[in-house]
Amino acid sequence: MRVLIVDDHTLVRAGLTRLLQGFGGVDVCAEASRADEALDLALIHRPDVVLMDLSLPGRSGIEAMAAIHAELPATRVLIMSMHDDSQHVRSALERGASGFVVKDAAPLELELALRTALAGEVFLSPRLSSRMMAPLLGRPKTEGVESLSNRQRQILDMIGRGLSSKEIAVELGISVKTVETHRARMMEALGCRRANELVLLAARHGRQPD
């Protein structure tokens, strides 16, 4: 997977480049800081996926995405932003984005988003999808541990008991990567920005009476 990173902050681009190069089969082919530069580099390198910041100097990320799609319709554009309100998300998806990832997402979530976009599907950060789907389903959004699937609650309980991802994988008969993906999604759903926050929450949950 060839990825073009578009963000106007040099340190953010450097951090993302280093992170993505740690993902198997992912190659960062170029970096851009502005919308016009993004289009020029996309035409030169023809990336599979463009990881695009929503807020750019001059034209926005959505405008840059439209320009890229006009020239390279097969290129997927994954929007990344600190803005997670429904209006921004809906606007990006309506204009053809292959997904929307919040900037404080866990690394595993970003990897999943990139691979989902490459597969031609649409990815939304879990907390965004639950927030946007709740009104459509005619029911209030569930929050906290109640929003987790049965498998995720099972893993949360095991985390609370001090088990590592490898130990959880062995006990449940699943891969370590699957456990890590569940952990990333739980962190988003529970509002945990760091791994140790999830561990502390799991420990507190495990001590609560049934």
Side-chain angles (χ1 to χ4, degrees):
M1 184 195 316
R2 292 164 54 77
V3 180
L4 166 63
I5 295 175
V6 185
D7 192 289
D8 60 325
H9 294 94
T10 303
L11 290 178
V12 172
R13 293 197 307 274
L16 285 170
T17 296
R18 184 172 181 180
L19 177 64
L20 266 58
Q21 287 175 338
F23 298 159
V26 176
D27 174 42
V28 177
C29 59
E31 301 175 18
S33 61
R34 301 175 61 89
D36 53 354
E37 185 184 12
L39 177 58
D40 290 342
L41 290 175
L43 291 171
I44 293 171
H45 295 280
R46 296 183 175 270
D48 300 301
V49 181
V50 177
L51 183 58
M52 179 85 71
D53 187 11
L54 187 64
S55 301
L56 295 171
R59 291 191 295 170
S60 70
I62 291 180
E63 291 174 311
M65 174 179 66
I68 290 173
H69 278 161
E71 299 289 340
L72 302 169
T75 297
R76 308 291 178 181
V77 178
L78 182 65
I79 296 294
M80 175 182 58
S81 178
M82 67 178 66
H83 304 292
D84 60 356
D85 60 279
S86 298
Q87 182 177 354
H88 280 104
V89 177
R90 188 175 296 109
S91 177
L93 297 180
E94 288 175 349
R95 296 289 292 273
S98 293
F100 198 106
V101 181
V102 291
K103 276 195 171 181
D104 59 355
L108 280 169
E109 182 180 321
L110 178 57
E111 181 179 6
L112 180 61
L114 289 167
R115 299 195 188 284
T116 300
L118 183 67
E121 300 175 357
V122 176
F123 180 91
L124 279 183
S125 290
R127 76 166 181 248
L128 299 179
S129 57
S130 61
R131 180 190 308 163
M132 295 184 71
M133 287 300 295
L136 298 177
L137 297 174
R139 62 172 182 258
K141 180 185 69 172
T142 56
E143 297 182 345
V145 176
E146 294 301 316
S147 68
L148 303 181
S149 67
N150 290 334
R151 172 65 89 185
Q152 288 170 345
R153 292 188 201 181
Q154 186 179 22
I155 292 174
L156 185 69
D157 177 67
M158 298 171 81
I159 293 172
R161 290 191 277 119
L163 274 67
S164 66
S165 292
K166 184 175 181 180
E167 291 169 332
I168 293 172
V170 170
E171 186 163 330
L172 296 180
I174 58 180
S175 70
V176 174
K177 187 168 184 177
T178 297
V179 175
E180 291 294 335
T181 298
H182 279 302
R183 289 181 75 124
R185 290 180 172 175
M186 285 191 290
M187 287 176 66
E188 285 295 327
L190 299 174
C192 299
R193 297 195 175 191
R194 298 178 179 83
N196 65 326
E197 292 179 10
L198 180 64
V199 173
L200 291 173
L201 189 151
R204 288 198 300 269
H205 179 70
R207 289 196 297 267
Q208 292 178 355
D210 296 331

